[in-house]
Amino acid sequence: MKRKRKSIAYPTKVGNKDEHIEQMGPVITDLPKFICQIILLKLPTCSILICKCVCKTWRVLISDPEFAKMHFAQAEAYPMVRPWGPTRVSRTLYLVEPEDDFSLAIKDKDYLSDCDYGSLKFDKCHFRMNLAKYKLPLRDAEKVMNNDDNVNLMRNRKHGTKRMPCIKIRPNDHKYNVVNSCNGFLCLSEPIFNDPVVVCNPVTGEFMHLPEASKQENQKVTIHCGIGFSPKANRYKVVRIFDHGSPHPITMAEVHTLGSSSWKLIGSCPCSSYNQLAFPTYIEGALYWFYYDPLKYVILSFDLDSENFQSLPPLPFQREQYRNVSMGVLGNCLCVCDAHGIHINLWVLKNHGAKRSWRRKISIETDHSGFDGERWPSGLYKPMKYCKDGGLLMFNYRTNALIYHHPKTHRFIYLKLRGIKSKFSAISHVPSFISLKDILVGDDVNILNINSRCAQMKLLGETRALFLEEEIADLASDFFTSESSDED
Amino acid sequence: MSRVFKLKSSDNETFEVEEAAALLSETIKSSSSTEITVPNVKAEILGKVVEWCNKHAESEDTKDQLIKEWDAEFVSVDQHVLFKLITAADYLQIKELVDQLTQRVGDMIKAKTLKTVEMTYPTFNVEREVQEELKSLGF
């Protein structure tokens, strides 16, 4: 597998070290600390991480918990995509950050005008997105570090041990599920039963193992979980929904406060373990899961402050066969995205004092492409980000693409993930530099860092670069799943 | 009756500034006298700051396209001049100018760091090329 590298030529500095020292005038580290902070806070996450390595002054500044707090206060959520498949260990996550402000796109009159058929493609410079790689830990890192698990190495034993540049390991041994993201932290679970086992911060590379939870008598039931933040207690908690008791198990919930040594049983859960809870989402002090029964869609809500389940007003639409419904976060509200026929509707949960209701925030008619051959892809859409300029960024599961749409126009920008041939999953994630040390209850927990373990190792399948390419949505690829094409 | 402020640079040059332009600076606003000495800032730099203030005092609408273009040109200076400008604007507490200048520095850093297609691990062994590039920014 060759490493695909976009070669950008930039001049190599062939200079004398003395020339650097002889500089006239101030250098950037002469600037006062808070000015440096202002400069660094405006940079995308991967740039900040690079700046951390440049000099000691900046390393200290960026590692300071004060900087992490300031950064988190102004951080936004971005899509984080992950190549996903049965043959992949999938430990690499890609955070999609725009290189420039999204608002640039709207200044282009061509984009806003529906009648303009002249420009075939939008000016590509409007959507330069940077995909920075972050890594998850491996489930059995010791095995890999001792080279016991290197399948390549084993195969070569006949011919003598030959060091391969890329390590091949078994996904079944090392893969984690990413459950959900909360304030920059990810909850990871083991892939067979979805039992939550690790909490990590992909930006800092820190991770910790969760203590052992209650065993399920019936081993075959999927566990549902998620990580959330309780504002009143100022603590991070992981919630676990599982089957408890025999011979007639009840679905129960238990909670673990990050840093404590055990799980606390809460009580029974209003849903049954037969319900497939999907799209675990954290927002504003509560965790939400989405499921359906034969007639309707239901959202399960767990308040992290009071530690109990709450009911939500029912969704304003019925369950139907060709509806593709997902749940996520938009702005600061819980959002349900309903893609049905030629409509995509985004509903948000609004609080009016004690009362809550669903309000339709965005409604898109997808048959108005306004352009020859361009069609909104069908399939499941997941809301990713509500941009400052009022535009909406969503992830389409079927085509592995990000779709940007501004309500003032019928057009959309189709950004396809290229470079790695795989299915992708995506979640909305707020990058943060906050250390696990600063959020845990006690100091008893062993905090590990992937950068001191397996980060340096290259796994097979990790060498390709991933990038987003602005393309025209392909009508042909829509053939098998779009119902409108059946009518054609 | 609009007051006239006198700003003195560290090399003893005096700039006369109209009230509207001068009051863009929080330091001047909260100062009791109309004569302010700006230490450690030479005439060349202070002159540029005064120029920025004058331009921003005369046009009401800061979102105007022409102003934005003028601002963009204003910050496209050599990095050493940029850092000196930041020090001056910071002393005079002209928030908008500090924002524009720091944004420019950020953009310069972004341009160098985002050239790296594959992010290397945040250890001390960052790619040599990136280190060299950033060194040229004056680190």
Side-chain angles (χ1 to χ4, degrees), chain A residues 448-465:
Chain A
L448 301 159
N449 198 310
I450 60 160
N451 296 316
S452 54
R453 289 155 60 104
C454 297
Q456 304 275 359
M457 297 181 192
K458 282 197 183 59
L459 302 182
L460 208 62
E462 280 190 345
T463 50
R464 288 190 175 272

Side-chain angles (χ1 to χ4, degrees), chain B residues 36-79:
Chain B
I36 297 110
T37 312
V38 188
N40 299 325
V41 179
K42 295 222 168 101
E44 178 201 348
I45 299 297
L46 191 56
K48 282 192 79 76
V49 177
V50 170
E51 191 192 337
W52 188 94
C53 291
N54 284 331
K55 184 78 181 180
H56 277 252
E58 71 187 27
S59 58
E60 303 275 298
D61 185 11
T62 46
K63 286 203 165 70
D64 185 19
Q65 191 59 29
L66 288 170
I67 279 273
K68 292 209 145 173
E69 284 172 12
W70 188 90
D71 283 339
E73 271 231 41
F74 182 84
V75 298
S76 310
V77 288
D78 170 79
Q79 68 206 36

Side-chain angles (χ1 to χ4, degrees), chain B residues 82-100:
Chain B
L82 200 58
F83 300 151
K84 288 178 192 166
L85 281 171
I86 292 179
T87 313
D90 176 49
Y91 180 86
L92 290 169
Q93 292 187 63
I94 308 169
K95 186 178 183 301
E96 165 111 27
L97 180 57
V98 173
D99 281 346
Q100 285 181 14

Side-chain angles (χ1 to χ4, degrees), chain A residues 3 5-6 8 10-11 13 20 23-29 31-32 34-35 38-39 42-44 46-47 49-51 53-54 58-59 99-100 107 130-133 135 203 451 455-458 463 465, chain B residues 65 68 79-84 86-87 90 98-103 105-107 109-110 112-127 129-139:
Chain A
R3 165 183 261 168
R5 198 186 176 93
K6 258 191 189 163
I8 298 167
Y10 46 111
K13 299 279 177 200
H20 287 290
Q23 275 163 4
M24 321 250 265
V27 282
I28 200 160
T29 41
L31 292 173
F34 78 97
I35 295 275
I38 295 175
I39 296 172
K42 291 184 183 172
L43 296 173
C46 53
S47 299
L49 284 172
I50 292 180
C51 287
C53 309
V54 163
W58 279 22
R59 187 174 186 83
E99 287 189 21
D100 308 301
K107 284 189 194 144
N130 178 257
L131 270 68
K133 275 165 122 166
K135 290 191 162 65
V203 171
N451 296 316
Q456 304 275 359
M457 297 181 192
K458 282 197 183 59
T463 50
Chain B
Q65 191 59 29
K68 292 209 145 173
Q79 68 206 36
H80 301 298
V81 177
L82 200 58
F83 300 151
K84 288 178 192 166
I86 292 179
T87 313
D90 176 49
V98 173
D99 281 346
Q100 285 181 14
L101 293 166
T102 49
Q103 182 64 49
V105 179
D107 290 344
I109 298 178
K110 243 201 286 195
K112 305 266 182 186
T113 55
L114 292 181
K115 273 183 185 170
T116 314
V117 173
E118 191 177 294
M119 235 291 289
T120 46
Y121 320 106
T123 64
F124 279 109
N125 301 320
V126 78
E127 294 203 72
E129 288 158 338
V130 176
Q131 259 188 335
E132 294 298 315
E133 284 297 299
L134 286 169
K135 271 205 182 112
S136 73
L137 263 183
F139 288 6

Side-chain angles (χ1 to χ4, degrees), chain A residues 105-173:
Chain A
I106 290 309
K107 284 189 194 144
D108 181 5
K109 280 188 278 200
D110 285 347
Y111 177 64
L112 276 184
S113 149
D114 274 336
C115 312
D116 181 34
Y117 290 92
S119 54
L120 183 69
K121 282 188 179 170
F122 300 113
D123 188 359
K124 279 193 174 175
C125 77
H126 285 161
F127 268 99
R128 271 195 306 250
M129 304 276 232
N130 178 257
L131 270 68
K133 275 165 122 166
Y134 298 96
K135 290 191 162 65
L136 293 178
L138 295 172
R139 261 171 43 223
D140 199 347
E142 276 77 24
K143 246 190 188 171
V144 183
M145 294 194 296
N146 298 331
N147 260 323
D148 285 349
D149 217 24
N150 188 348
V151 175
N152 274 347
L153 211 59
M154 276 159 52
R155 261 196 280 129
N156 281 319
R157 222 150 256 178
K158 273 192 204 164
H159 317 282
T161 40
K162 194 171 146 200
R163 296 272 147 185
M164 292 296 221
C166 279
I167 302 174
K168 185 175 181 182
I169 56 176
R170 282 174 276 258
N172 284 342
D173 295 341

